[in-house]
Amino acid sequence: MTVNVAIDGPAGAGKSTVAKAAAAKLGYIYVDTGALYRAVGLNALNHGIDTTDAAAVEESLKGITVELAFVDSQQQVLLNGENVSSLIRTPEASMAASNVSAIPAVRAFLFDLQRDIAKANDCIMDGRDIGTVVLPDAKVKIFLTAAPEVRAKRRYDELIAKGSNVEYKDVLEELIQRDYNDSHRETAPLKPAEDSVYLDNGGLDLEASVEKVIEIIKEKIQ
Ligand code: DC
């Protein structure tokens, strides 16, 4: 039996940074499932498809491949064999991912891939529906969140550090829109699993968040 840790929560809660650091400390692999939805969204954008058009997006899945590879424990996302790990990190790809993730055919398309990785590896997997749908039997489930303003500020700082020319108010607006989309869709909406530990890390820095997450994991797997 592998140890599976599910970390769900809204955009900008720091899931990926916290999960990645905790996984490195525990010797687990870190799986960022948002990257899969981003790859599907990017594929649709590349083909000029309206990412809110469910039928067109479903059609776009035919014949594509989305894979994850782990190079030095770092996850890489391959779309049709091409490494798109950087290309999926734009605001356009974020919104496209949020749109396509509401489409049941997209969720079904990515389901087995996520399950298979968890079956084969001790992992921390982050997303929106990991504890509720993908790994309902995960030993540890954490719902990681913070106030929208805190999350938007973190995202804004990240984008600015990467050289993007963005406005804080646009980042906040986009984040609130994505929160709404992600938690109001019919299929696998973002919500805490009943048996999850709720962690608001608004007042915690990265190190303290990682420590807290590791503490929760150790307690649960004992
Ligand atoms: O975690 P992220 O910001 O990279 O995710 C991008 C989008 O993908 C997000 O708006 C919602 C969707 N997503 C999802 O529906 N289910 C997941 N398990 C992960 C992401």
Side-chain angles (χ1 to χ4, degrees):
M1 275 286 279
T2 55
V3 177
N4 292 161
V5 179
I7 302 190
D8 292 302
K15 295 187 300 293
S16 60
T17 321
V18 171
K20 201 184 283 180
K25 286 201 176 177
L26 294 166
Y28 300 171
I29 64 165
Y30 161 61
V31 185
D32 161 19
T33 62
L36 301 170
Y37 293 91
R38 286 170 180 268
V40 170
L42 179 69
N43 179 67
L45 290 178
N46 286 346
H47 289 88
I49 290 166
D50 172 1
T51 53
T52 61
D53 181 341
V57 172
E58 186 168 348
E59 186 64 25
S60 77
L61 296 173
K62 289 189 182 150
I64 69 163
T65 60
V66 175
E67 296 157 287
L68 292 182
F70 293 88
V71 180
D72 294 334
S73 311
Q74 295 292 315
Q75 174 182 299
Q76 310 291 326
V77 198
L78 308 180
L79 170 62
N80 299 325
E82 183 198 351
N83 191 335
V84 293
S85 306
S86 307
L87 296 175
I88 57 171
R89 296 293 157 197
T90 62
E92 293 74 27
S94 300
M95 201 43 95
S98 182
N99 288 338
V100 301
S101 72
I103 301 167
V106 171
R107 306 202 72 83
F109 177 74
L110 298 172
F111 186 79
D112 287 346
L113 169 59
Q114 299 170 76
R115 271 281 179 91
D116 291 347
I117 291 174
K119 223 182 259 172
N121 301 278
D122 290 339
C123 69
I124 300 186
M125 187 173 281
D126 90 23
R128 304 294 188 286
D129 63 336
I130 308 305
T132 50
V133 177
V134 178
L135 304 176
D137 298 327
K139 226 173 234 166
V140 190
K141 298 181 186 180
I142 298 171
F143 193 83
L144 190 64
T145 190
E149 292 74 15
V150 174
R151 293 184 281 119
K153 177 70 168 64
R154 290 178 183 158
R155 260 291 142 86
Y156 171 78
D157 289 346
E158 242 173 59
L159 289 166
I160 292 292
K162 276 195 211 157
S164 301
N165 183 18
V166 289
E167 300 269 345
Y168 168 77
K169 70 169 184 22
D170 294 335
V171 176
L172 177 62
E173 212 169 275
E174 193 226 83
L175 186 131
I176 289 172
Q177 182 63 49
R178 273 219 286 155
D179 280 0
Y180 186 87
N181 285 357
D182 295 347
S183 52
H184 285 79
R185 65 180 178 224
E186 259 176 52
T187 314
L190 168 68
K191 61 171 185 205
E194 271 174 23
D195 50 352
S196 62
V197 176
Y198 191 91
L199 176 57
D200 184 323
N201 71 353
L204 303 179
D205 63 12
L206 172 62
E207 205 176 319
S209 301
V210 174
E211 248 170 53
K212 187 73 201 160
V213 162
I214 290 180
E215 188 185 304
I216 295 168
I217 295 171
K218 286 193 169 156
E219 218 168 80
K220 293 271 176 190
I221 62 174
Q222 249 174 24

